Amino acid sequence: MSREIETERSMLDLLLARYNSERRGTIADRWVRAEHVRSSQGIWETLSIADFIAIDKYASSQAIHGHEIKVSRSDWLTELRDPSKAERIKRFCHRWWLVVPDASIVKPGELPEGWGLMVKAGNVLRAKHRAPKLDPEPLTLDFVAGLTAAVQRTAMREPLHRDARTILTWDARNGTRELCQACGEPAPCHLHQPRAIKDHAA
């Protein structure tokens, strides 16, 4: 994908792919993913929206990773002019990332304190500057409500943008089986792997 057609949507798809890993032989996914998470559900509060949040469920590394996507230099400069915008959600996160399609969007010395930087490299995202560990505030019920609603919306939207992975499992009774990672049904799954279903039928 060329830089000229990079959009927030294409960068979100890269984040969905980055934060997707299953335990071998199971459908247990390490990550919870949420797009467009609101800082508040109230109508009077000043609102911010995190482009993407990923929650690491592993006990040894549990953390909330927040992400701000910027696809142009002008978008990034607008963000820099109002540091309070990101802080409304960053304060709840263990790590906070800026995600860009090209490193030239961010000039040396511009990355705010406490931010990491991910840059598109081919068809994946690479951490150019590791986000430091933060000391987040306790989650408010207001934020949790918005976060869980975003998780639900994202799970419903994911098949619109990419198929769930197919994983291999084995047991003595059934031998090797291909399953949909999202639900554990035999692959290809009509609900979570619509493109594979179409190809399978062709």
Side-chain angles (χ1 to χ4, degrees):
M1 184 178 293
S2 66
R3 182 183 172 190
E4 289 74 18
I5 60 173
E6 289 295 352
T7 63
E8 181 189 89
R9 180 67 258 165
S10 66
M11 300 302 287
L12 283 169
D13 289 345
L14 291 178
L15 284 166
L16 286 170
R18 178 181 175 88
Y19 292 104
N20 188 301
S21 59
E22 68 282 348
R23 293 178 182 173
R24 186 179 299 275
T26 75
I27 64 167
D29 193 352
R30 173 176 176 174
W31 299 95
V32 175
R33 297 170 289 276
E35 299 176 359
H36 301 142
V37 181
R38 294 164 56 99
S39 59
S40 174
Q41 308 314 298
I43 60 175
W44 304 115
E45 291 85 353
T46 303
L47 178 67
S48 292
I49 298 177
D51 293 318
F52 190 87
I53 285 182
I55 303 173
D56 189 345
K57 297 188 298 184
Y58 277 16
S60 60
S61 55
Q62 283 179 351
I64 299 175
H65 294 250
H67 304 77
E68 186 71 25
I69 296 171
K70 297 299 172 188
V71 296
S72 70
R73 174 75 178 157
S74 61
D75 284 346
W76 173 233
L77 292 178
T78 299
E79 180 75 22
L80 286 177
R81 285 194 286 269
D82 185 8
S84 65
K85 177 176 174 289
E87 193 59 35
R88 295 184 191 107
I89 296 180
K90 176 176 173 282
R91 64 194 177 105
F92 296 126
C93 297
H94 297 86
R95 300 189 189 275
W96 188 259
W97 299 89
L98 172 65
V99 184
V100 296
D102 192 287
S104 65
I105 289 174
V106 185
K107 301 302 181 186
E110 285 184 345
L111 198 64
E113 183 178 355
W115 289 52
L117 177 63
M118 286 188 198
V119 180
K120 183 176 183 291
N123 293 319
V124 298
L125 292 169
R126 302 289 187 195
K128 184 173 182 179
H129 176 74
R130 180 171 171 77
K133 184 73 177 295
L134 304 173
D135 185 19
E137 298 177 14
L139 301 183
T140 64
L141 180 57
D142 185 44
F143 180 70
V144 170
L147 176 59
T148 52
V151 169
Q152 183 181 40
R153 290 194 304 270
T154 301
M156 294 176 66
R157 283 196 301 256
E158 277 196 77
L160 297 176
H161 304 294
R162 67 184 189 108
D163 281 3
R165 293 182 178 180
T166 294
I167 62 170
L168 293 177
T169 64
W170 184 89
D171 60 61
R173 181 177 180 181
N174 299 300
T176 300
R177 295 191 298 160
E178 293 187 343
L179 302 179
C180 168
Q181 178 202 11
C183 64
E185 292 297 313
C189 161
H190 285 80
L191 183 61
H192 301 109
Q193 299 174 314
R195 294 160 190 79
I197 284 286
K198 184 177 180 180
D199 293 341
H200 189 72

